[in-house]
Amino acid sequence: MSGFEFEISEEGASEIRERLAGLETELQQRAIRAGLNSAGKPIVETMQQLVPVGTGEDAGALKQSIAKRSLSKNARGRLGLAENAVAVRIGPIKKVNGYSQAYVGSLVEHGVKPGTRKVFRRIGGTHNLKRRLAHIRAYTYHHPGQAAEPFMAPALARNETQFESRFYDGMAAYLKRKGV
């Protein structure tokens, strides 16, 4: 959503690369995924603390939708990542009451500019083209806008300094559990 990327520095990474080079590809990917999940957990928790919770029937829906999930092969392809790359998505990705909250998260994070919008609604009618056109009504309304209330970028910034160490700790813990 926001396009954040992390790169692990070369300090200490060379010895981990050497250890990973001797492992089979699937085990490497699982170890990296375990590291990403370990590093992403505090980011998810911080996002859930910072997200604004409104009032009304959908109060808390955006907060409930925040999670981390591994990207599928198709999603990695759409993003232009390598086929064997390991990636984890963090943000409003779970459906709540059957609805995705990703778009709502984007609106809250970046805000909405005020403006006039025109909406077309079909009022009853049938699927017959001539009759259907007679049942379309246009409504114009003015949206006052909404100020941005960022919660994803600040959560990432708060956890940025510990990301690398958590990544390595999570990966090492996984490899230790596997006896490597």
Side-chain angles (χ1 to χ4, degrees), residues 24-86:
E24 60 185 62
T25 306
E26 187 174 334
L27 187 60
Q28 287 179 17
Q29 290 178 344
R30 288 181 183 202
I32 293 170
R33 188 175 296 114
L36 288 173
N37 284 331
S38 175
K41 185 177 180 182
I43 297 172
V44 169
E45 292 168 357
T46 307
M47 275 187 199
Q48 289 174 337
Q49 292 170 359
L50 295 177
V51 68
V53 178
T55 58
E57 64 184 57
D58 338 350
L62 184 57
K63 184 175 185 174
Q64 291 174 9
S65 73
I66 296 173
K68 64 181 173 347
R69 184 173 294 152
S70 295
L71 288 180
S72 67
K73 185 176 180 179
N74 289 339
R76 290 191 308 263
R78 283 192 307 267
L79 293 172
L81 299 173
E83 187 176 317
N84 60 351
V86 179

Side-chain angles (χ1 to χ4, degrees), residues 107 110-117 141-149:
L107 295 177
H110 303 292
V112 179
K113 293 181 181 177
T116 302
R117 291 171 174 78
Y141 70 95
H142 178 75
H143 188 280
Q146 175 183 336
E149 297 181 62

